Amino acid sequence: MSAARWAFDTTPVTWQRRTLRYLAIYLALALLLVGARYLSQDVRPDLRAAQQREEELIAMRDDLTVRVQAATTPQKVQTWATENGMQRFAESRKAVRDLGAAAVTPPPADTARDLEVKTQWK
């Protein structure tokens, strides 16, 4: 193998070809970047609008959380219940029935029967 074969080719034709090749590559990359920017030009305004909507929804959620907590205090629930005809269990009338000795039923005669339980999980 000769030394001339491994030497760099520095002729003007070679440099012109390399220049044209690199210029074509740079132009293709520039067109690709311009095209990508053109296709994504509406992403930024949409992102801003989505962030604004998110802030509005977070503020609305926080306001509704406070309103729910204020509406479900024990005092408010008790007031609502009494306004809608409900009574406290301690204040309601109780039905009383005498469960005297006559009402007691004797245990069944067959007490030696085994008890069987089956459990089925779903």
Side-chain angles (χ1 to χ4, degrees), residues 14-47:
T14 303
W15 286 107
Q16 287 174 354
R17 287 181 188 158
R18 286 181 184 170
T19 303
L20 289 176
R21 191 175 341 146
Y22 288 134
L23 182 63
I25 291 171
Y26 289 139
L27 285 176
L29 286 174
L31 286 174
L32 182 68
L33 290 174
V34 169
R37 177 65 181 125
Y38 177 75
L39 293 175
S40 65
Q41 66 184 352
D42 59 341
V43 170
R44 185 76 173 164
D46 291 346
L47 179 62

Side-chain angles (χ1 to χ4, degrees), residues 2 6 9 26 33 39 61 63 67 94 100 105-107 116:
S2 67
W6 293 102
D9 187 9
Y26 289 139
L33 290 174
L39 293 175
R61 181 201 62 195
D63 180 53
R67 289 175 58 191
K94 311 290 188 296
T105 58
E116 185 177 329

